[in-house]
Amino acid sequence: MTWHLFPPDHGAFLQARCGLCLRPGPAAALDDSLDALYEAGRAHLAEAHPGARLDAIEVTAGRPEGGWDGTEAPHAWMNRCFPSLW
């Protein structure tokens, strides 16, 4: 049996985070392209950390902590209730 910290279920999503300032970025669905997250990361690095490499942007799995009632996609809820700090 394989154990996962965040098993890919209906409440999972991907979220970008800056490894330099640790601020969270936008979230996306598991099956979405990561291009939008990395484009947002490029824009954040150009503004906040000029000259930093793109590998400073981390994309990790996430789940809503509380308040998500399942009526909207978890990544949409996360972006609405906890907007990106970038």
Side-chain angles (χ1 to χ4, degrees), residues 5-80:
L5 181 61
F6 294 115
D9 62 8
H10 72 284
F13 56 86
L14 298 173
Q15 185 164 25
R17 182 178 72 146
C18 178
L20 300 175
C21 63
L22 303 179
R23 291 182 175 189
L30 288 176
D31 57 354
D32 281 351
S33 170
L34 295 180
D35 293 342
L37 295 182
Y38 281 115
E39 186 58 38
R42 282 186 195 92
H44 169 70
L45 291 176
E47 182 179 324
H49 312 288
R53 295 177 22 185
L54 184 59
D55 63 357
I57 301 299
E58 306 166 352
V59 176
T60 59
R63 294 179 59 130
E65 294 295 322
W68 180 63
D69 61 6
T71 59
E72 63 183 323
H75 67 282
W77 176 84
M78 190 70 176
N79 287 331
R80 181 175 59 79

